[in-house]
Amino acid sequence: MNFATKAVHAGVEPDPSTGAIMTPIFQTSTYVQAAPGDHKGYEYSRTHNPTRTALQKALAALENGRHGLCFATGMASIDAVVKLLKPGDEVVSTNDLYGGTYRIFTKIFEPFGIRFKFVDMEDPANVAAAITDKTRLVWVETPTNPTLRIVDIAAIAKLTKGKNILLAVDNTFASPALQNPMDLGADIVMHSVTKFLGGHSDVVMGALVVNDDALAERLAFIQNSCGATPGPQDCFLVLRGLKTLHLRMERHCANGQAVAEFLAQHPKVGKVYWPGLPGHPNHAVAKRQMRGFGGMMSFTIKGDNMEDALHFLRTCKLFSLAESLGGVESLMGHPASMTHASIPREERQRTGVTDSLIRLSVGVEDAADLLADLQAALG
Ligand SMILES: *Cc1c(COP(=O)(O)O)cnc(C)c1O
């Protein structure tokens, strides 16, 4: 099945008791048993819920994996992956990481004796150099936030294969419509479902997709034991969102291209970070491993001062100032004062998060209206 067909149909079957074409919201905590242990595959909703099962199957299909697991948030899904490890194990991770991931690694799991190394993964040689006989997990995020750098997943997979090292990829920014890390050699694909998969800024959720049966079983054990599972109402909303994922992503990509090209030629704009621009340092890798470049981008204002950035954020009307991304509506953020404010200025500047850097999540509105909004704000 091709992607668009999977987005509409995967995981979903008409409800056997009524024929309802949409998966019902099974708002139940428990299931009646005819005799102890004699049940229909469902005992308690932390462990299994039919609405969640449908969503897990759909997500697995979209990532070309065999098993999907949903969690209450993206962070809860990352938490489950690290819980596969034990004290003394090492993790090699990108240095340009989602802030919440950096926080759970260093503030929650480091005190439990797991070691994290953060390297620049644009050059896979840095990953090779960081791997030791204690390394059990390599954590990749691509494209990265907020400077949209690209990591070559297949090149990293060559370093982990056959070595008792799991390769996990946070695929949130690309979505399975644009990138399938499993096909490039990843063992685990992670999503903040909150973003493009949900797509309508109305749900917080996370997911993992894996191929290996034993790995799926270990993760399901953690999912059930630790208990950060999503409710059926949220699963229903994401099932609904998935049906238009391919259509939304097409428009995110087209609008993304229009906005990136507009910004790149604007006299008041400094740098533009969008992997679809031929001048992007990792454009060739992005072209190889992605089917489109998406609607996420960042740019700076010439002169690079905070005042200009704040003026721009105040003046924009269609782009709303908010955390998060991947919804149908266009959003903008100012990493230096929002998501990355806790990082010292010098360190921030070094990774490209300068004072005027503005991140855009370009939505699915009319492109001409979006460009007019940006033009007015830059004027
Ligand atoms: C939002 C996000 C997360 C965390 O997901 P939540 O659903 O907010 O818990 C992880 N990684 C990336 C890249 C994200 O954008």
Side-chain angles (χ1 to χ4, degrees):
M1 248 195 272
N2 289 317
F3 191 84
T5 314
K6 285 196 283 191
V8 175
H9 292 288
V12 178
E13 279 156 26
D15 177 49
S17 65
T18 62
I21 193 160
M22 294 304 305
T23 308
I25 303 167
F26 284 92
Q27 195 74 51
T28 186
S29 60
T30 191
Y31 308 81
V32 175
Q33 309 190 10
D38 179 5
H39 54 72
K40 301 182 161 74
Y42 294 94
E43 295 162 273
Y44 187 59
S45 278
R46 170 163 29 79
T47 323
H48 297 292
N49 174 283
T51 317
R52 195 174 96 212
T53 302
L55 176 59
Q56 293 185 151
K57 283 186 181 159
L59 292 173
L62 293 182
E63 280 293 6
N64 301 331
R66 289 158 46 81
H67 307 279
L69 300 108
C70 289
F71 294 84
T73 67
M75 291 319 302
S77 64
I78 297 171
D79 179 66
V81 173
V82 186
K83 283 173 178 162
L84 292 166
L85 308 179
K86 56 182 189 336
D89 288 350
E90 291 182 2
V91 180
V92 178
S93 162
T94 32
N95 61 355
D96 195 13
L97 201 57
Y98 176 72
T101 311
Y102 181 78
R103 184 174 56 195
I104 196 171
F105 284 177
T106 57
K107 297 283 198 290
I108 303 291
F109 284 110
E110 226 157 51
F112 284 100
I114 296 167
R115 280 200 61 207
F116 295 88
K117 295 179 183 173
F118 300 94
V119 304
D120 178 354
M121 288 196 179
E122 271 174 308
D123 184 358
N126 294 334
V127 179
I131 288 176
T132 72
D133 58 1
K134 294 203 177 80
T135 307
R136 289 292 166 269
L137 174 68
V138 171
W139 186 273
V140 171
E141 194 181 308
T142 181
T144 66
N145 177 32
T147 52
L148 281 292
R149 290 197 264 168
I150 305 292
V151 177
D152 186 339
I153 298 169
I156 307 288
K158 277 201 191 117
L159 303 172
T160 59
K161 275 283 138 358
K163 277 204 194 117
N164 193 19
I165 301 173
L166 291 169
L167 173 58
V169 177
D170 181 339
N171 202 28
T172 300
F173 264 43
S175 92
L178 305 186
Q179 174 172 282
N180 295 119
M182 211 78 96
D183 297 348
L184 300 164
D187 303 295
I188 302 174
V189 177
M190 176 261 154
H191 278 285
S192 170
V193 175
T194 313
K195 317 294 167 55
F196 289 104
L197 292 172
H200 295 74
S201 310
D202 50 10
V203 173
V204 178
M205 194 189 292
L208 300 174
V209 176
V210 302
N211 253 327
D212 185 77
D213 295 346
L215 179 59
E217 208 170 298
R218 286 170 68 206
L219 286 167
F221 183 80
I222 294 169
Q223 181 194 37
N224 183 49
S225 303
C226 299
T229 50
Q233 177 91 34
D234 284 356
C235 292
F236 172 83
L237 284 171
V238 175
L239 277 168
R240 171 193 259 234
L242 288 186
K243 292 184 189 296
T244 55
L245 176 64
H246 54 300
L247 300 173
R248 289 186 282 111
M249 292 313 294
E250 258 176 53
R251 182 60 83 86
H252 282 299
C253 289
N255 283 357
Q257 175 155 7
V259 170
E261 286 172 356
F262 167 81
L263 291 172
Q265 56 75 48
H266 198 284
K268 291 208 175 136
V269 169
K271 292 200 174 84
V272 181
Y273 301 95
W274 186 64
L277 290 173
H280 184 286
N282 319 118
H283 178 63
V285 181
K287 233 168 121 173
R288 199 162 63 229
Q289 74 183 14
M290 301 175 76
R291 289 186 287 276
F293 304 108
M296 295 305 302
M297 70 189 66
S298 295
F299 70 98
T300 62
I301 297 173
K302 271 217 180 103
D304 200 34
N305 65 70
M306 187 85 80
E307 262 320 295
D308 288 342
L310 297 179
H311 176 79
F312 177 90
L313 298 170
R314 273 196 306 271
T315 322
C316 260
K317 292 201 166 64
L318 269 181
F319 285 82
S320 304
L321 181 64
E323 310 263 355
S324 200
L325 59 109
V328 289
E329 59 287 292
S330 291
L331 299 180
M332 58 184 176
H334 183 235
S337 68
M338 295 166 73
T339 46
H340 292 60
S342 58
I343 303 171
R345 186 166 181 273
E346 313 297 281
E347 203 176 312
R348 248 199 305 111
Q349 303 270 105
R350 233 182 312 113
T351 58
V353 183
T354 59
D355 290 343
S356 77
L357 187 82
I358 290 168
R359 190 187 79 179
L360 301 179
S361 171
V362 179
V364 301
E365 301 95 332
D366 184 89
D369 288 336
L370 295 176
L371 297 188
D373 194 34
L374 297 170
Q375 175 69 24
L378 284 166

